[in-house]
Amino acid sequence: YVWLNFQAFSKIMKKYDKHMNYRGTKDQKSPEFDTRLDGEPFKNSRLDAVLEMYRSVRSSMVVSSGGAGTGGRMEMKLIAGSANRALAEELAARLGVPITECNCERFNDGECSIQIMENVRGNDVFIVQPTSPPVNDNLMELLLMISAVRRASAARVTAVVPYYGYARQDRKDRARVPISAADVARMLEAMGGDRVC
């Protein structure tokens, strides 16, 4: 499964037409194909909701204290976790913003080490990291990423979590069991997350 944005797929089709000598023939990629492609495979209601929220915050966010050298405007940063890099790249392509570089390395015992490679001081940071299987590894990576950007003085941290691990355990249905969904939310809050979407 490969997640490509519309522009990337369109370029691939043009290169294929050139390679196969289809340009100028009836077999080349048609404008109707572009129109259908733009409307069908890359439309998703949850993704569109996240994009709309991101755009509205991006267009209206002005802070009185001033963001990292931007003359009072808070800059937006998009950071991709390792759980679904393709989703973050699609979001970045649609929004026209670069992905902030982040190194995530694993030690021999399985621990993850996070380092944000760009300055995020005073910025509005969005971290794209679903907590899909392996749930515990991806959740720990998300928590450490939130901690890293918060310690780097980010103004606000939003976790974009399309798959929320432990969501099945959202009530106390038996005696002596945790409400794990609430506990995960508390951990995200304790690390310094402002919002989860």
Side-chain angles (χ1 to χ4, degrees):
Y1 177 75
V2 178
W3 192 318
L4 292 171
N5 62 45
F6 168 71
Q7 291 85 1
F9 192 80
S10 184
K11 286 180 182 177
I12 291 170
M13 292 295 293
K14 286 180 181 177
K15 288 183 179 180
Y16 177 78
D17 286 349
K18 181 179 180 182
H19 178 73
M20 299 297 291
N21 296 319
Y22 285 159
R23 288 191 178 174
T25 70
K26 64 180 180 63
D27 295 321
Q28 74 175 356
K29 181 171 67 67
S30 66
E32 291 80 13
F33 179 80
D34 278 349
T35 303
R36 187 166 59 85
L37 188 66
D38 191 26
E40 290 177 5
F42 306 112
K43 295 292 184 183
N44 180 289
S45 58
R46 290 191 68 184
L47 179 61
D48 288 341
V50 171
L51 287 171
E52 187 56 39
M53 185 195 71
Y54 192 98
R55 285 192 190 106
S56 66
V57 172
R58 185 181 183 197
S59 62
S60 65
M61 185 55 61
V62 177
V63 291
S64 58
S65 60
T70 58
R73 186 171 180 79
M74 188 187 298
E75 188 178 349
M76 309 290 289
K77 296 284 188 179
L78 184 65
I79 299 177
S82 62
N84 196 338
R85 177 91 185 175
L87 173 61
E89 289 172 353
E90 176 70 12
L91 285 167
R94 289 197 185 197
L95 292 166
V97 297
I99 293 179
T100 300
E101 188 179 354
C102 173
N103 282 350
C104 179
E105 299 175 349
R106 299 277 174 182
F107 291 109
N108 291 336
D109 62 354
E111 295 177 32
C112 65
S113 171
I114 304 290
Q115 183 181 12
I116 310 300
M117 304 305 292
E118 298 177 26
N119 183 16
V120 295
R121 181 182 297 275
N123 296 153
D124 194 9
V125 178
F126 283 71
I127 299 173
V128 181
Q129 174 74 348
T131 53
S132 49
V135 174
N136 295 332
D137 290 347
N138 289 329
L139 176 59
M140 195 65 205
E141 185 178 325
L142 174 61
L143 293 171
L144 293 177
M145 291 174 82
I146 292 172
S147 176
V149 296
R150 182 57 76 194
R151 291 172 189 272
S153 302
R156 185 166 64 176
V157 182
T158 301
V160 180
V161 187
Y163 182 95
Y164 187 82
Y166 291 98
R168 291 179 177 87
Q169 303 176 53
D170 61 346
R171 65 182 63 84
K172 188 167 182 173
D173 56 351
R174 301 184 305 274
R176 298 174 297 281
V177 295
I179 303 176
S180 302
D183 295 335
V184 168
R186 285 195 191 96
M187 286 192 287
L188 293 170
E189 186 179 11
M191 285 294 103
D194 296 301
R195 298 186 301 176
V196 176
C197 62

